[in-house]
Amino acid sequence: MLDAIAGRRSVRAFLATPVPRKTVTRILNVAARAPSGTNIQPWQAVVLTGAARARFCDRLIAHVRAGGPAEQEYSYYPQRWRDPYLSRRRKVGWDLYASLGIGKGDRDATARQHLRNYAFFDAPVGMIFTMDRDMEIGSWLDLGMFLQNAMIAARAFGLDTCPQAAFARYPATIARLLDIAPDRQVIVGMALGHRDPDAPENGFATNREDAASFARFVEE
């Protein structure tokens, strides 16, 4: 279990190797063991594979390329950046784009890479997660634990994932394309599949702070 957690990466290039539906179902069933306040289990998932995934990705990418306006309903990031968070954000961005040979200020290449989010980085399985709009912040915590369970469970099958906040930028368009009811809010997406071992963007690991930098032990 510790190896599965330590080995989790946000993978941004996948092989076309299919993932059986029964495997995805097992992953989601295990993920659903996540704790939730009074066991309300507030999460919902739309799982996209095959022609349905391709059709969804093509239509969403066309919308983004056409300059469709952002429809974001919640802020994932802080309104004002400051250190140490700004430095961490910049480093992971620089490391990712350096691995791809994208230079600072190369807007065209950066835009092309960003669009790959909406193709689930070519993963054969794409998932969109939603919650009922009347859920409160505690349920967002529940969803986060569910998502982490799914990512760790995927490792048990030799699979990798990438949680993707980019999908939260176009919730209305996604809801229309996937016939998601108005009382449900699009929260996040996730790519699932076999990582491409030859893709340079999969070759670097992000840093993590040691517990000594963020934990305070009170013992006496």
Side-chain angles (χ1 to χ4, degrees), residues 132-185:
D132 290 359
R133 290 182 178 277
D134 56 354
M135 295 295 99
E136 295 291 348
I137 192 168
S139 292
W140 289 66
L141 298 175
D142 299 339
L143 175 62
M145 291 184 278
F146 171 86
L147 296 174
Q148 178 73 354
N149 268 6
M151 290 184 280
I152 300 306
R155 297 296 303 127
F157 294 91
L159 300 170
D160 282 285
T161 55
C162 187
Q164 297 173 262
F167 287 100
R169 188 170 176 84
Y170 299 100
T173 300
I174 291 170
R176 175 175 54 80
L177 293 175
L178 298 181
D179 195 25
I180 295 172
D183 59 352
R184 292 186 175 181
Q185 183 174 2

Side-chain angles (χ1 to χ4, degrees), residues 4 10 14 31 37 118 146:
S10 291
F14 291 84
Y118 304 116
F146 171 86

Side-chain angles (χ1 to χ4, degrees), residues 56-160:
F56 167 77
C57 293
D58 288 347
R59 291 175 178 175
L60 182 57
I61 289 172
H63 174 77
V64 177
R65 280 179 169 161
E71 310 151 352
Q72 200 152 346
E73 298 179 330
Y74 73 92
S75 295
Y76 185 94
Y77 295 108
Q79 297 300 306
R80 297 182 62 183
W81 285 97
R82 58 181 174 82
D83 278 332
Y85 313 112
L86 179 59
S87 295
R88 294 172 185 167
R89 174 184 172 88
R90 283 175 171 167
K91 177 172 173 48
V92 73
W94 289 335
D95 287 350
L96 171 61
Y97 289 120
S99 74
L100 292 165
I102 299 175
K104 188 176 181 180
D106 189 342
R107 294 185 178 180
D108 290 341
T110 298
R112 286 194 297 270
Q113 176 61 23
H114 182 71
L115 275 177
R116 295 192 66 240
N117 273 283
Y118 304 116
F120 294 103
F121 298 112
D122 298 324
V125 180
M127 294 182 280
I128 299 293
F129 297 95
T130 68
M131 286 196 307
D132 290 359
R133 290 182 178 277
D134 56 354
M135 295 295 99
E136 295 291 348
I137 192 168
S139 292
W140 289 66
L141 298 175
D142 299 339
L143 175 62
M145 291 184 278
F146 171 86
L147 296 174
Q148 178 73 354
N149 268 6
M151 290 184 280
I152 300 306
R155 297 296 303 127
F157 294 91
L159 300 170
D160 282 285

